[in-house]
Amino acid sequence: MKDLKRLIICTYFFMVMLPCLAQKINGVSFVASGDSISQAHTQPVKRLNANYAALMPFGFIRELSSPEIRFNVKRQWFGEREEGIKQYAKELRKKGIRIMLKPQIWVWHGQYTGHITMNSETNWKKLENTYTDFILMYAKTAQEIKIPIFCIGTELEKFIQNRPAYWKELIKKIRKIYSGKLTYAANWDEFKRVPFWGQLDYIGVDAYFPLSEQKTPTVADFEKGWTAHKKEIKRVQNQFKKPVLFTEFGYRSVNFTGKEPWDSKRVQASVNLEAQKNGLQALYNQFWNESWFAGGFVWKWFHRHDRVGGNNNNRFTPQNKPAEKLITKLYGQ
């Protein structure tokens, strides 16, 4: 009888648990909207062969030096607040898609969150208090609905640089509430300076690394551009012995997309579908077969699949472009 039980346990591990442990996170960054979603909106995500979606509730601040974060209020879009997160997660799970909850800050007029800095100790304390309220509310939500990954912040370098002790204590508070895996979404030029990777489960990187100055970089051009960056990513991974997760990755379908991949301002720029596809293929080639790489979340995916993207669209979304067909193939491997 003992031998039979041992056989059953071993069979379960090798057939069920081991494949799950080895499986990469093939994710999409699922953009919040003013609407609830249904299976009509989640079926395209399933068809992409994605197994994860990042849900992103927002908190808003007026200026880079403002300490008050407004969040979970009725004036926000449904998908940006707690009620929407619960509804989105429920619908995505019906398709077998797991969730990373990734609360984010938006500064009015789109100013870069990495530059949030207070001008007095009083305001730093106010910011800490309001950010704690913001992030702990969503940590409780993540625990309540059993979300497997929780991201404690996104691209907040100056806040972390100026208040490292606060962040280390905040992680302890989150751990008391939430029992899943933790990460932080560091900007591509920030991740090597984050002081608390040792407290988290994943080294999170928003992977908009500059890779090529070519108008239409080939896959080989993109891969050559990864050489130095990949070496630095691996150095940090070796230092902390934690898997690396690309909390965001992607390329616009635009000329020179590898030069400054974070740039979203060239609205009138030309469309270049090949450059987007080549960038995604090169990133996959460089990272998806690495044992220390956990996977990532492509930026970005809208719920109304039939109304977005397309061959005349030069934005980040891969939807209804050759990039979508490529990701479907890559995620299905």
Side-chain angles (χ1 to χ4, degrees), residues 301-317:
W301 193 272
F302 296 90
H303 77 301
R304 288 301 303 268
H305 186 268
D306 57 328
R307 295 188 179 185
V308 299
N311 290 340
N312 296 318
N313 177 280
N314 69 17
R315 311 307 284 173
F316 278 100
T317 181

Side-chain angles (χ1 to χ4, degrees), residues 264-279:
S264 61
K265 297 178 182 178
R266 293 182 291 151
V267 177
Q268 302 302 321
S270 300
V271 176
N272 192 327
L273 301 170
E274 185 71 14
Q276 180 185 44
K277 191 173 73 167
N278 289 348

Side-chain angles (χ1 to χ4, degrees), residues 1 9 23 30 36 39 54 87 98 107 115 117 122 125 135 141 159 166 169 191 204 208 249 259 277 280 294 301:
M1 183 61 71
I9 292 170
Q23 188 179 35
F30 197 91
S36 60
Q39 295 299 284
Q87 197 272 332
R98 306 181 80 191
V107 186
H115 294 155
T117 309
T122 299
K125 290 292 186 183
I135 212 69
T141 302
F159 188 179
Y166 161 78
E169 287 303 310
F191 77 96
Y208 303 111
F249 72 88
K259 185 177 181 179
K277 191 173 73 167
L280 293 167
W301 193 272

Side-chain angles (χ1 to χ4, degrees), residues 119-134:
N119 54 21
S120 69
E121 179 65 18
T122 299
N123 280 350
W124 274 119
K125 290 292 186 183
K126 287 181 180 179
L127 177 63
E128 290 173 353
N129 289 339
T130 191
Y131 191 84
T132 298
D133 291 342
F134 171 63

Side-chain angles (χ1 to χ4, degrees), residues 181-194:
K181 303 291 187 182
L182 294 181
T183 190
Y184 164 74
N187 197 31
W188 69 271
D189 61 348
E190 171 197 1
F191 77 96
K192 52 186 172 288
R193 294 185 292 275
V194 173

Side-chain angles (χ1 to χ4, degrees), residues 132-156:
T132 298
D133 291 342
F134 171 63
I135 212 69
L136 291 189
M137 189 199 82
Y138 283 111
K140 291 175 182 175
T141 302
Q143 180 68 18
E144 177 187 340
I145 61 176
K146 296 179 173 59
I147 286 174
I149 305 175
F150 184 70
C151 184
I152 69 171
T154 299
E155 298 179 8
L156 296 169

Side-chain angles (χ1 to χ4, degrees), residues 58-77:
F58 273 85
F60 296 86
I61 65 174
R62 187 173 296 276
E63 298 174 355
L64 292 171
S65 59
S66 299
E68 183 181 359
I69 302 170
R70 294 180 59 80
F71 62 95
N72 201 40
V73 295
K74 288 295 184 181
R75 292 177 61 187
Q76 290 181 245
W77 279 1

